[in-house]
Amino acid sequence: SPYQNEEKRNLSLGGHVGFDSLPDQLVSKSVTQGFSFNILCVGETGIGKSTLMNTLFNTTFETEEASHYESAVRLRPRTYDLQESNVHLKLTIVDAVGFGDQINKDERQVSPIVEYIDTQFENYLQEELKIRRSLFNYHDTRIHVCLYFITPTGHSLKSLDLVTMKKLDSKVNIIPIIAKADTISKSELHKFKIKIMSELVSNGVQIYQFPTDDEAVAEINSVMNAHLPFAVVGSTEEVKVGNKLVRARQYPWGVVQVENESHCDFVKLREMLIRVNMEDLREQTHTRHYELYRRCKLEEMGFKDTDPDSQPFSLQETYETKRKEFLGELQKKEEEMRQMFVNKVKETEAELKEKERELHEKFEHLKRIHQEEKRKVEEKRRELEEEMNAFNRRKVAVETLQSQSLQATSQQPLKKDKDKKNRSVITGNQSGVSLSSSKVMITKTTVEPLNCSSWWHAIQCCSCLVKNATWREGFL
Amino acid sequence: CQLFGYVGIEAVLDQMKIKTMKMGFEFNIMVVGQSGLGKSTMVNTLFKSKVSRKASQPGQEERIPKTVQLQSVTHVIEEKGVKMKLTVTDTPGFGDQINNNNCWDPIIKYINEQYERYLREEILITRKRKIPDTRVHGCVYFVPPTGHWLRPLDLEFMRRLSKIVNVVPVIAKADTLTLEERAEFKQRIQQDLKTHAISVYPQEDFDQDPDDRALNDRIR
């Protein structure tokens, strides 16, 4: 990187600076935030899980005795808020109820447990993968330790024990303990422990090893490692021993003191679990078991750290590739839309052209009709004019004839007749389109008289036209 | 739930302490301010050692760089068993030009780069047990002791950077101000910051409980 100028060297301080308080700062921060510890108890019903929890934490977690008739294994988590001096602990105890009780002790015994553990990992992973996340507020429910209760037969591990522990060892820190240890004699116990450990080793079960890398705790841890599995006795009842009240179990033949190291390993368990290695258990859960789960899950989902060329994925590259993809998609969509638009335009254009053409045709058609009509009308007009001329000629001829005939006879009565004849002539000629004049004159007197005085007006006057059938027919 | 007797839960605190001491700490601070304000001297005084090389040493031809450059120096210091990897990032050239437009850009870029580096490590499938933390934990901003107000450059810088990093403003070379001037200056600066809604460290919205708030209010 162009900025770094790393001259990492050890520097000696000229005086007290004060950052040695950093661990304390961190610790006090955790104290105010509080922290969680989650224990999973797996063992047959009645083996003493709840009693042991009560003894370990010196309190009474409210619980009723579990029934032996559970139909399936189910996990029952219960969370308690404990406080000691200024430390707040959110303790969750998860019970595998019904474990080992079924007649058929097959897969279904273990899978609910595995599922539960995985679900807690999954929830944490989801929170971690969120874009807006609040991990420091998150109540961590991942199981930090699994206490596996071994039935004190004195012989060896049951096959259910081996199967269960094998399934769980890669998911959680397992601490095997021998329950109700006061039912085994000292020598039996010794042999039992050796047998158990060798069976675990030969079956490849990885139980939790107390850490021996830190000098402060290496010694005590390695000693404890040799005492595994711890043979414990739990009791919440107090018995007077000497002049003290101690937690113990009172039998007719004697008292088994819980906190007496020669009686059982309870103190060792408490030391290891709470007072020495609690933080390490939490850390192992987070950095080993959780990371494994996370890696498997992410790989399952198809994520990779390196691309096909084994080059590490750069965030920038991924971003660029995704961006290119997205832009490409965008462009494609744009093209499609543009194409669609163009097509639509073309279609509409074609439609419009079609309509235009149709209109044009119609127009032409109408024009032609109109022309046709005009022509017909012209023709008729010409005919009419011809007839008018013919009529006028006849009229003139008739008038001359009439005046000639009138001069021959008396004038007055003929005037009337003349008028009558004139009128009838007029009417007759007006109405008659026929060719023969005299015939027309005679026949047409029976026709109704027109209202209009002249023929031109008569043509234009619709009422006149209507009154005379022949005109109407001819005109049409 | 009530505990009837001593369980030993508080032993976990010691466990944590041991763990953190074993892991060691990483602390990265950045000092920003014009040249000559005494940044290197202050860092050296803070950590009581020659952490930074002073810019004005005789025989050294150091000219003011044309653009803001960032130089990081890393040291490992130890005190009472606590190991700390201290990285001090200096920003020569900040505010020294005639035209100081966007002189904060290289700084913002650097800070974001560190965040991205961490994120990249965090989202790997197979990730390291301990991701190296190069993120800038605090930015000490040196305000020149004018005694009047915060300059536009100061305001701009602090406004932008307080959004992405913890900004601690300090009045440099405060011995050039009398006590009254100093108090007045401080007040004016606080006012300025409030008016411009710049939240410097410790930020109010990160106060987790009344104790925190009481402590931080005094600091503010």
Side-chain angles (χ1 to χ4, degrees):
Chain A
S1 133
Y3 302 120
Q4 297 283 1
N5 179 13
E6 290 221 25
E7 303 160 27
K8 216 198 283 189
R9 52 181 200 264
N10 276 321
L11 217 54
S12 51
L13 296 172
H16 178 78
V17 178
F19 60 84
D20 57 337
S21 63
L22 264 172
D24 291 314
Q25 288 177 35
L26 265 184
V27 165
S28 69
K29 193 131 212 157
S30 303
V31 166
T32 38
Q33 276 177 2
F35 50 101
S36 24
F37 193 62
N38 309 318
I39 306 178
L40 170 66
C41 293
V42 181
E44 288 175 3
T45 317
I47 207 170
K49 304 189 285 286
S50 317
T51 317
L52 185 66
M53 288 295 115
N54 288 345
T55 324
L56 254 182
F57 290 101
N58 225 335
T59 178
T60 323
F61 298 119
E62 299 124 52
T63 170
E64 342 77 23
E65 277 180 17
S67 118
H68 282 262
Y69 303 109
E70 297 282 340
S71 53
V73 174
R74 65 184 171 88
L75 283 104
R76 188 174 56 178
R78 275 165 311 176
T79 312
Y80 306 96
D81 272 312
L82 302 177
Q83 184 173 2
E84 189 171 80
S85 46
N86 57 347
V87 178
H88 284 269
L89 179 68
K90 227 186 182 75
L91 178 74
T92 305
I93 301 181
V94 187
D95 237 330
V97 178
F99 185 78
D101 281 340
Q102 268 76 55
I103 297 173
N104 182 4
K105 301 197 182 89
D106 62 355
E107 278 286 300
R108 282 171 291 168
Q109 297 280 298
V110 194
S111 38
I113 304 177
V114 173
E115 245 177 66
Y116 181 83
I117 298 175
D118 277 343
T119 314
Q120 309 318 308
F121 282 149
E122 181 66 33
N123 292 343
Y124 189 87
L125 181 65
Q126 289 301 322
E127 185 63 32
E128 202 188 25
L129 286 178
K130 271 194 196 162
I131 293 182
R132 274 181 188 277
R133 60 186 190 184
S134 59
L135 272 178
F136 64 93
N137 257 340
Y138 180 74
H139 175 214
D140 188 3
T141 53
R142 299 174 293 180
I143 303 287
H144 298 123
V145 67
C146 169
L147 292 175
Y148 194 88
F149 290 71
I150 300 171
T151 330
T153 59
H155 298 168
S156 63
L157 286 173
K158 300 199 203 143
S159 51
L160 176 65
D161 297 334
L162 280 168
V163 164
T164 313
M165 282 201 268
K166 193 82 174 75
K167 276 234 160 62
L168 295 177
D169 68 354
S170 58
K171 294 201 173 282
V172 74
N173 303 315
I174 302 184
I175 298 182
I177 54 183
I178 302 171
K180 297 199 173 173
D182 50 343
T183 57
I184 315 184
S185 73
K186 222 177 176 112
S187 50
E188 274 178 358
L189 187 62
H190 187 65
K191 277 195 248 163
F192 193 29
K193 278 194 185 182
I194 296 178
K195 190 80 203 309
I196 292 175
M197 290 311 278
S198 70
E199 273 191 333
L200 288 176
V201 165
S202 57
N203 280 281
V205 176
Q206 291 196 326
I207 56 172
Y208 177 71
Q209 295 290 318
F210 303 118
T212 49
D213 44 355
D214 184 9
E215 330 85 38
V217 290
E219 213 189 294
I220 184 170
N221 276 346
S222 50
V223 165
M224 292 300 178
N225 274 329
H227 281 271
L228 280 173
F230 295 133
V232 294
V233 174
S235 171
T236 44
E237 285 156 12
E238 297 196 319
V239 174
K240 196 159 176 145
V241 172
N243 48 2
K244 269 202 312 178
L245 267 180
V246 292
R247 287 181 295 171
R249 283 176 68 77
Q250 172 103 64
Y251 290 110
W253 50 87
V255 174
V256 176
Q257 292 159 37
V258 166
E259 279 167 295
N260 189 333
E261 288 207 57
S262 54
H263 289 194
C264 71
D265 295 331
F266 173 79
V267 173
K268 296 196 180 71
L269 175 67
R270 187 178 57 194
E271 276 296 305
M272 288 294 98
L273 189 64
I274 303 175
R275 294 189 189 166
V276 177
N277 297 308
M278 198 191 246
E279 185 54 35
D280 184 69
L281 283 165
R282 279 156 44 97
E283 197 184 320
Q284 288 291 320
T285 311
H286 180 65
T287 54
R288 186 140 55 97
H289 300 292
Y290 169 70
E291 284 297 312
L292 181 65
Y293 174 82
R294 179 177 175 277
R295 184 171 46 225
C296 294
K297 195 68 204 291
L298 289 180
E299 275 174 2
E300 214 179 272
M301 297 207 286
F303 290 105
K304 280 198 256 287
D305 274 340
T306 63
D307 60 15
D309 303 315
S310 303
Q311 292 292 346
F313 257 147
S314 139
L315 205 63
Q316 189 65 18
E317 275 175 30
T318 328
Y319 169 69
E320 294 273 312
T321 340
K322 277 241 142 51
R323 191 156 169 272
K324 257 191 238 155
E325 259 182 57
F326 177 69
L327 284 177
E329 280 280 324
L330 210 68
Q331 252 189 340
K332 211 168 67 161
K333 281 225 167 76
E334 242 186 275
E335 267 305 308
E336 278 177 27
M337 276 178 73
R338 194 178 304 140
Q339 205 48 36
M340 222 171 50
F341 180 69
V342 164
N343 288 346
K344 236 301 93 106
V345 165
K346 277 211 190 111
E347 264 180 46
T348 324
E349 234 188 294
E351 271 181 36
L352 284 172
K353 271 215 167 76
E354 183 66 27
K355 286 249 159 69
E356 200 184 29
R357 198 179 54 80
E358 278 179 28
L359 278 173
H360 200 67
E361 265 185 38
K362 226 185 202 164
F363 175 67
E364 293 289 321
H365 181 66
L366 284 173
K367 202 160 123 184
R368 267 181 270 129
I369 291 179
H370 176 254
Q371 297 229 8
E372 191 63 32
E373 292 294 312
K374 199 163 153 194
R375 196 177 54 76
K376 284 192 190 156
V377 168
E378 277 295 319
E379 251 184 59
K380 292 274 179 319
R381 198 167 82 84
R382 252 183 293 122
E383 280 177 24
L384 188 65
E385 272 210 42
E386 275 179 30
E387 277 179 35
M388 263 174 37
N389 292 338
F391 167 72
N392 279 334
R393 274 181 261 126
R394 267 185 264 126
K395 183 173 167 194
V396 167
V398 164
E399 274 178 353
T400 36
L401 244 138
Q402 273 190 342
S403 57
Q404 282 175 2
S405 61
L406 270 171
Q407 276 170 0
T409 55
S410 67
Q411 296 211 2
Q412 236 191 342
L414 279 170
K415 259 206 181 140
K416 270 196 204 156
D417 286 325
K418 197 165 139 189
D419 288 329
K420 244 205 292 183
K421 274 186 187 160
N422 277 343
R423 258 191 301 143
S424 60
V425 161
I426 290 168
T427 47
N429 288 334
Q430 282 180 342
S431 41
V433 192
S434 50
L435 309 152
S436 157
S437 45
S438 48
K439 276 192 189 154
V440 169
M441 274 189 274
I442 295 166
T443 50
K444 290 309 171 191
T445 47
T446 56
V447 174
E448 278 170 64
L450 296 176
N451 293 329
C452 305
S453 47
S454 79
W455 68 269
W456 185 238
H457 290 149
I459 297 175
Q460 291 175 327
C461 176
C462 300
S463 48
C464 299
L465 288 173
V466 164
K467 282 186 188 146
N468 191 310
T470 340
W471 271 96
R472 202 171 55 213
E473 280 162 19
F475 195 67
L476 284 175
Chain B
C1 264
Q2 269 298 103
L3 294 177
F4 297 134
Y6 182 69
V7 177
I9 301 175
E10 57 174 15
V12 75
L13 296 181
D14 282 325
Q15 297 170 25
M16 280 179 67
K17 198 162 158 192
I18 296 174
K19 180 178 89 164
T20 51
M21 280 178 66
K22 199 167 67 150
M23 265 199 328
F25 295 92
E26 282 171 314
F27 192 55
N28 311 316
I29 60 171
M30 183 186 273
V31 281
V32 185
Q34 285 172 291
S35 46
L37 278 180
K39 303 192 290 287
S40 316
T41 319
M42 202 213 75
V43 171
N44 289 346
T45 321
L46 248 189
F47 291 101
K48 295 214 168 92
S49 56
K50 284 217 170 63
V51 178
S52 315
R53 253 184 17 224
K54 287 196 234 180
S56 58
Q57 277 171 7
Q60 294 230 335
E61 300 257 334
E62 292 222 16
R63 321 205 95 248
I64 295 173
K66 286 258 158 59
T67 57
V68 178
Q69 294 172 348
L70 285 103
Q71 289 170 353
S72 294
V73 178
T74 310
H75 300 279
V76 175
I77 47 183
E78 188 179 330
E79 191 175 62
K80 292 207 184 136
V82 178
K83 273 210 177 76
M84 185 157 88
K85 183 164 158 234
L86 174 72
T87 307
V88 179
T89 311
D90 201 354
T91 55
F94 179 82
D96 286 333
Q97 269 77 44
I98 295 175
N99 179 2
N100 285 310
N101 260 344
N102 300 333
C103 60
W104 47 76
D105 276 345
I107 298 176
I108 294 183
K109 186 159 165 238
Y110 175 80
I111 294 176
N112 283 333
E113 257 176 27
Q114 306 316 308
Y115 283 145
E116 179 166 339
R117 205 188 276 192
Y118 192 86
L119 177 64
R120 229 180 286 161
E121 288 286 341
E122 202 187 19
I123 61 177
L124 280 181
I125 294 187
T126 328
R127 46 190 194 187
K128 298 195 184 120
R129 209 154 230 250
K130 186 162 184 302
I131 301 172
D133 190 3
T134 54
R135 303 173 290 185
V136 178
H137 297 123
C139 174
V140 184
Y141 186 72
F142 285 74
V143 177
T146 59
H148 295 168
W149 303 94
L150 285 176
R151 303 165 301 160
L153 174 65
D154 303 328
L155 285 169
E156 264 309 303
F157 179 86
M158 283 203 271
R159 189 172 62 86
R160 276 158 205 267
L161 257 79
S162 57
K163 294 198 188 123
I164 55 174
V165 75
N166 300 319
V167 175
V168 181
V170 295
I171 302 173
K173 298 200 169 163
D175 50 344
T176 58
L177 297 168
T178 65
L179 284 178
E180 298 91 28
E181 285 174 345
R182 193 200 298 177
E184 235 185 87
F185 193 26
K186 266 199 199 183
Q187 250 208 346
R188 291 220 198 101
I189 292 181
Q190 281 173 2
Q191 258 183 359
D192 255 346
L193 292 176
K194 212 179 267 184
T195 333
H196 290 86
I198 301 175
S199 65
V200 295
Y201 184 81
Q203 290 94 336
E204 275 180 8
D205 29 316
F206 289 153
D207 280 340
Q208 286 186 325
D209 54 38
D211 291 333
D212 255 3
R213 200 166 302 134
L215 173 67
N216 289 336
D217 274 340
R218 279 186 302 160
I219 299 176
R220 284 192 271 264

